[in-house]
Amino acid sequence: MEFPITRLRRLRRTEPMRSLVRETHLEPGALIYPLFLCPGEGVRNEIASMPGVFNLSVDEAVKEAEAAASLGIGGLLLFGLPESKDEQATGAWAEDGIVQRGLRALKQTSAAKKLVLIADVCLCEYTSHGHCGIVEKKEGVLETDYEIENDSSLSLLSKTAVSLAKAGADIVAPSDMMDGRVAAVRDELDDEGLDQTPILSYAAKFASAFYGPFREAADSAPQFGDRRSYQMDGANLREAMREIDLDLGEGADMILMKPALPYLDVIRAARERFDVPIGAYQVSGEYSMLQAAFANRWLDRDRAMMESLLSIRRAGAGFIVTYFAKEAAKALG
Ligand code: PBG
């Protein structure tokens, strides 16, 4: 039936009417709030390229967790800035590592009962060279004179996951993109009696320019080269499906897609193909470019923020990691 019988505008006339026929909804419980833990006390350093995002000492992170819990936010994703870095990423798996200390402190708060504490598992914040794996010097193999070693990195990653789970992480989330790391992490967790700790795998993580501001926040920019030999080529959707397939086969309980906005088609494809919980990460660059536009009054703050989150949800993400979590939860009331 066509015009004039069908008039789609009939259902758009009032907000109650629009609300009745709305297909996609956001709720605070579907938002995950990333925190960057740093040494010290009373530290709250704003990240220049990410207005409203801070490096927080553990005591300040506890306050932030309480605020997040009272807003109904679903969980936290924890990153760490260690006191010192080395080639073995010691700070990632040390018993008294910064995220391990943070987890122990957070676990003692009442906020922790309402929040899922997710620990990012990666080495790049803890290695002196800033890569996500062990660097091996190798002349003439690639266009570079080094290689990011896959298999020797796996034991450090699984050691890190175990240490974070023991410190209180409810979920471990490997984001390094080494092959076989989900199986290695699962194996080590099970060996240590942590068979109830779920793995959220950053299954399809693209080598993206949109991670720029994060590398300032986490002080994790590679000192040489880039991450294109381990993170995915942004052109490849079919390969992303293979990554997810492999990670699920290795025992991932849920998957995370990243970045979000420039890869909505990949999120949609994953949603249609895999029946597991899927999250998406609205990464630092996505946040910063919106913040830059807000600062210039080029975009309406609340509307652009909510539209970006809604589009990620509509594409198929069940939950969203976002630096807007607190602001969006407030707007959702
Ligand atoms: C660690 C990691 C990164 C991000 C999440 N985990 C950085 C990277 O891969 O360089 C990026 C998150 C963001 O940009 O907000 N490997």
Side-chain angles (χ1 to χ4, degrees), residues 5-333:
I5 294 171
T6 299
R7 289 178 182 269
L8 291 177
R9 288 184 58 190
R10 283 186 196 119
L11 300 181
R12 292 180 202 150
R13 284 164 61 87
T14 65
E15 181 49 28
M17 190 76 86
R18 290 190 292 272
S19 168
L20 186 71
V21 299
R22 191 158 291 138
E23 299 173 31
T24 310
H25 297 270
L26 279 168
E27 68 274 336
L31 305 175
I32 304 287
Y33 189 38
L35 294 184
F36 298 98
L37 308 182
C38 69
E41 239 190 270
V43 183
R44 242 187 119 76
N45 286 340
E46 192 163 24
I47 293 132
S49 54
M50 299 177 75
V53 179
F54 300 82
N55 287 162
L56 300 167
S57 52
V58 170
D59 55 322
E60 290 291 324
V62 164
K63 292 183 201 160
E64 210 58 23
E66 277 156 2
S70 65
L71 286 165
I73 286 170
L76 304 176
L77 177 61
L78 303 176
F79 297 97
L81 291 94
E83 271 100 357
S84 61
K85 305 181 188 235
D86 57 34
E87 302 225 324
Q88 298 297 310
T90 308
W93 41 268
E95 165 107 34
D96 64 344
I98 181 70
V99 177
Q100 285 82 348
R101 275 184 275 153
L103 281 164
R104 281 188 210 103
L106 286 167
K107 270 290 169 199
Q108 279 165 24
T109 64
S110 57
K113 293 198 177 59
K114 298 194 196 140
L115 295 165
V116 180
L117 302 182
I118 309 174
D120 184 88
V121 176
C122 198
L123 306 181
C124 61
E125 297 123 77
Y126 306 93
T127 49
S128 39
H129 45 66
H131 278 290
C132 305
I134 303 252
V135 173
E136 207 55 63
K137 291 226 174 322
K138 276 189 186 162
E139 299 286 332
V141 178
L142 303 162
E143 55 279 74
T144 51
D145 56 0
Y146 63 88
E147 192 162 359
I148 313 303
E149 277 269 313
N150 195 86
D151 297 9
S152 58
S153 303
L154 298 182
S155 60
L156 292 185
L157 289 162
S158 22
K159 206 149 101 169
T160 302
V162 164
S163 142
L164 292 164
K166 283 191 174 159
D170 298 312
I171 295 178
V172 291
S175 69
D176 52 282
M177 291 300 281
M178 298 297 128
D179 286 329
R181 90 265 207 219
V182 174
V185 166
R186 185 72 273 158
D187 202 46
E188 193 81 7
L189 286 171
D190 291 356
D191 275 357
E192 296 286 328
L194 296 159
D195 55 15
Q196 293 301 314
T197 303
I199 298 176
L200 166 63
S201 163
Y202 286 71
K205 175 171 176 180
F206 292 93
S208 173
F210 289 91
Y211 306 148
F214 172 95
R215 293 179 187 167
E216 185 195 338
D219 185 27
S220 66
Q223 298 302 301
F224 47 84
D226 56 44
R227 303 210 201 290
R228 280 180 289 181
S229 77
Y230 41 108
Q231 298 179 350
M232 284 189 55
D233 185 331
N236 296 355
L237 185 144
R238 287 191 295 268
E239 188 188 349
M241 300 302 113
R242 293 188 71 201
E243 280 285 1
I244 298 169
D245 213 16
L246 283 171
D247 283 6
L248 293 176
E250 289 177 27
D253 299 278
M254 327 186 238
I255 56 170
L256 194 62
M257 314 293 289
K258 173 179 177 190
L261 227 41
Y263 296 88
L264 292 178
D265 56 326
V266 188
I267 299 174
R268 169 54 37 197
R271 180 65 292 160
E272 280 169 13
R273 191 140 154 184
F274 300 100
D275 291 328
V276 293
I278 297 179
Y281 196 145
Q282 181 179 51
V283 301
S284 55
E286 300 177 58
Y287 173 83
S288 297
M289 69 182 177
L290 285 170
Q291 288 289 354
F294 301 157
N296 282 292
R297 298 174 194 275
W298 290 337
L299 291 174
D300 179 279
R301 199 180 176 86
D302 269 12
R303 287 187 56 208
M305 169 180 74
M306 293 314 258
E307 190 174 333
S308 70
L309 294 170
L310 194 71
S311 70
I312 297 166
R313 183 75 179 234
R314 193 190 59 239
F319 59 96
I320 305 172
V321 181
T322 174
Y323 303 98
F324 285 122
K326 269 182 23 185
E327 231 176 304
K330 279 181 205 154
L332 288 166

